[in-house]
């Protein structure tokens, strides 16, 4: 059994990890509205926005929700906002199994990765048959250890969402996956609410994940705007997932909290700009600072004409820009030294003048 997690994982023809671009997932979810042509339109738009992956969710209503169970609950969250029985909404949002290959082929044709979150064993096997580059495990599955084991044994890279999970539950899930020998895992911070609150984002927990598990991290973000995604990347996230729609005004459970095309494109542009801005951990003087090293700093200058042979005193010196000669921190070392040549008034003082 391996007891470590790699710092780089190959996803399709890309590598995610340190020193590689953030892997960006357009989570289409149920936003295809039961229409395969709309699904393709979403994939094409995601590709044009710069997403690396168009992702769906593979569930069958009868295998993920209990109509009887939900009928006993008084729901206050997003499930309660639908105004319809939960199992009906799930049934209408099913991504038909027979569409998977056609959609996968379409993604290959466009040059964008295809993946899907499986919610039953048959869906996992379908992912394997389609050779998806990774399997995303939704937050709701994190305590279903039998499913985690089943997925992990397929030896595919996995992205594990951690919404509404405690650290002990996350640890148990990780150890369950690790026990299979598959260590290709990215741990995704997530808040399981739609939309989730900015103040609930808790981006800093990524640092906890990185320290506690020494693992690649990402963020499956349901909050409005790009702030959480950008902040996550600044804290080391290597994968970002955001719901994606053509229009927030379309009717369906995922449209209202999804990013539309313009918002998603703007987020991708911001991410790529942020990656350039992050640079490295090495402090360097960049090319555009080459002149300011002299212009903005100060050096020792003569306040008056200093003849050759004069012992330099404090009144002979001032500290001015640009820093052409001796740095001010050496002023006490210059005082008391003898001028080796005539020094004109308002001239920078060099070590060769002494």
């Amino acid at each position: 059994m391996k007891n470590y997690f790699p710092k780089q994982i190959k996803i399709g023809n890309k590598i995610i990890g340190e020193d590689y671009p953030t892997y960006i997932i357009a989570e289409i979810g149920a936003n295809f509205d039961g229409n395969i042509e709309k699904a393709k339109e979403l994939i094409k738009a995601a590709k044009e926005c710069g997403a690396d992956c168009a992702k769906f969710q593979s569930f069958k209503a009868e295998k993920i929700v209990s109509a009887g169970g939900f009928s006993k609950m008084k729901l206050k969250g997003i499930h309660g906002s639908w105004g319809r029985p939960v199992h009906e909404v799930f049934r209408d949002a099913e991504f038909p199994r027979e569409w998977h290959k056609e959609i996968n082929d379409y993604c290959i044709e466009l040059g964008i990765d295809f993946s899907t979150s499986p919610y039953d064993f048959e869906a996992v096997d379908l992912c394997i048959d389609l050779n998806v580059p990774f399997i995303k495990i939704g937050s709701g599955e994190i305590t279903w250890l039998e499913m985690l084991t089943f997925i992990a044994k397929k030896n595919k890279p996995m992205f594990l969402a951690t919404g509404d999970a405690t650290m002990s539950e996350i640890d148990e899930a990780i150890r369950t996956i690790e026990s299979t020998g598959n260590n290709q895992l990215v741990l995704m911070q997530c808040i399981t609410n739609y939309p989730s609150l900015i103040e609930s984002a808790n981006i800093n927990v990524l640092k906890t994940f990185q320290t506690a598990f020494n693992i690649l991290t990402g963020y499956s973000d349901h909050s409005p705007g790009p702030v959480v995604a950008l902040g996550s990347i600044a804290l080391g996230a290597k994968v970002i997932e955001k719901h994606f729609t053509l229009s927030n005004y379309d009717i369906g459970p995922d449209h209202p909290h999804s990013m539309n095309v313009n918002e998603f494109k703007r987020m991708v542009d911001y991410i790529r700009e942020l990656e350039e801005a992050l640079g490295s951990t090495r402090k360097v003087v960049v090319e555009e600072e080459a002149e300011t090293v002299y212009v903005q700093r100060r050096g020792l200058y003569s306040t008056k004409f200093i003849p050759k042979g004069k012992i330099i005193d404090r009144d002979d010196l001032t500290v001015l820009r640009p820093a052409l000669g001796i740095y001010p921190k050496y002023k006490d070392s210059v005082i008391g030294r003898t001028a080796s040549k005539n020094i004109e008034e308002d001239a920078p003082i060099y070590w060769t003048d002494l």
Side-chain angles (χ1 to χ4, degrees):
M1 182 178 78
K2 296 176 180 177
N3 58 359
Y4 65 91
F5 297 99
K7 293 297 168 51
Q8 294 178 0
I9 296 177
K10 194 166 190 300
I11 302 294
N13 62 358
K14 294 183 172 67
I15 294 176
I16 62 170
E18 296 178 358
D19 302 323
Y20 287 91
T22 307
Y23 190 80
I24 303 173
I25 302 168
E27 166 63 281
I28 293 172
N31 288 338
F32 60 93
D33 298 335
N35 184 322
I36 193 169
E37 294 307 317
K38 187 165 186 177
K40 292 180 179 179
E41 191 178 353
L42 280 155
I43 293 166
K44 187 171 186 291
K47 170 67 177 178
E48 290 172 351
C49 285
D52 296 295
C53 176
K55 196 180 82 61
F56 292 78
Q57 298 181 5
S58 298
F59 57 79
K60 290 185 175 180
E62 73 271 17
K63 291 189 175 184
I64 191 172
V65 295
S66 163
F70 275 107
S71 69
K72 300 178 187 304
M73 297 183 69
K74 293 183 178 179
L75 299 166
K76 296 179 181 177
I78 186 170
H79 292 76
S81 70
W82 291 336
R84 299 170 57 202
V86 170
H87 71 279
E88 288 186 11
V89 176
F90 272 77
R91 183 194 60 208
D92 292 346
E94 289 179 356
F95 181 53
R97 300 285 159 95
E98 59 271 23
W99 289 3
H100 283 61
K101 184 180 184 309
E102 182 174 342
I103 290 297
N104 185 42
D105 290 345
Y106 185 70
C107 287
I108 292 171
E109 178 185 334
L110 288 190
I112 184 171
D113 290 341
F114 165 81
S115 193
T116 181
S117 296
Y119 291 90
D120 55 67
F121 298 114
E122 291 79 9
V124 176
D125 287 333
L126 181 56
C127 287
I128 301 305
D129 291 342
L130 294 172
N131 194 27
V132 297
F134 67 90
I135 293 179
K136 164 74 185 302
I137 305 173
S139 297
E141 318 306 302
I142 199 165
T143 56
W144 190 10
L145 302 185
E146 180 188 12
M147 178 56 108
L148 300 188
T149 300
F150 187 78
I151 292 172
K153 283 186 174 178
K154 302 300 183 183
N155 204 32
K156 282 280 182 184
M158 295 159 290
F159 299 167
L160 175 63
T162 60
D164 64 34
T166 65
M167 276 296 283
S168 63
E169 290 171 335
I170 295 167
D171 182 72
E172 184 178 34
I174 288 176
R175 300 312 158 201
T176 298
I177 289 170
E178 196 179 27
S179 69
T180 67
N182 184 351
N183 64 348
Q184 302 173 84
L185 181 63
V186 178
L187 196 58
M188 310 277 286
Q189 164 65 343
C190 174
I191 299 298
T192 310
N193 190 25
Y194 308 88
S196 57
L197 302 174
I198 290 286
E199 57 267 37
S200 298
N202 198 17
I203 303 170
N204 272 323
V205 83
L206 292 174
K207 295 187 289 187
T208 303
F209 289 170
Q210 292 154 11
T211 301
F213 304 114
N214 193 23
I215 196 169
L216 289 173
T217 55
Y219 204 115
S220 180
D221 181 28
H222 306 145
S223 69
V227 170
V228 170
L230 294 169
S232 299
I233 293 166
L235 293 180
K238 301 303 177 187
V239 178
I240 293 295
E241 180 182 38
K242 273 281 200 179
H243 279 76
F244 181 70
T245 183
L246 297 176
S247 170
N248 298 108
Y249 298 103
D250 285 349
I251 304 301
D254 287 336
H255 291 296
H257 58 262
S258 299
M259 273 189 158
N260 61 43
V261 173
N262 290 334
E263 292 169 331
F264 200 93
K265 175 67 167 59
R266 192 178 310 124
M267 179 189 73
V268 172
D269 290 345
Y270 283 159
I271 287 174
R272 299 309 178 207
E273 192 173 353
L274 174 63
E275 288 171 339
E276 291 185 10
L278 284 173
S280 73
T281 56
R282 184 183 173 201
K283 173 59 179 169
V284 295
V285 178
V286 298
E287 184 177 350
E288 64 185 285
E289 293 179 307
E291 185 177 84
T292 61
V293 167
Y294 302 100
V295 172
Q296 300 276 30
R297 293 185 177 187
R298 294 174 182 245
L300 296 181
Y301 281 75
S302 57
T303 59
K304 62 188 78 166
F305 174 73
I306 302 174
K308 178 181 178 180
K310 183 181 183 300
I311 295 174
I312 296 175
D313 59 36
R314 190 171 298 275
D315 292 339
D316 293 324
L317 302 176
T318 189
V319 179
L320 298 171
R321 296 180 182 183
L324 297 180
I326 300 171
Y327 281 170
K329 65 181 179 180
Y330 298 115
K331 185 176 182 179
D332 288 342
S333 298
V334 171
I335 293 170
R337 299 279 294 270
T338 302
S340 64
K341 60 181 71 169
N342 290 335
I343 303 173
E344 299 298 324
E345 180 181 351
D346 192 30
I349 297 176
Y350 300 93
W351 290 112
T352 53
D353 295 333
L354 307 177

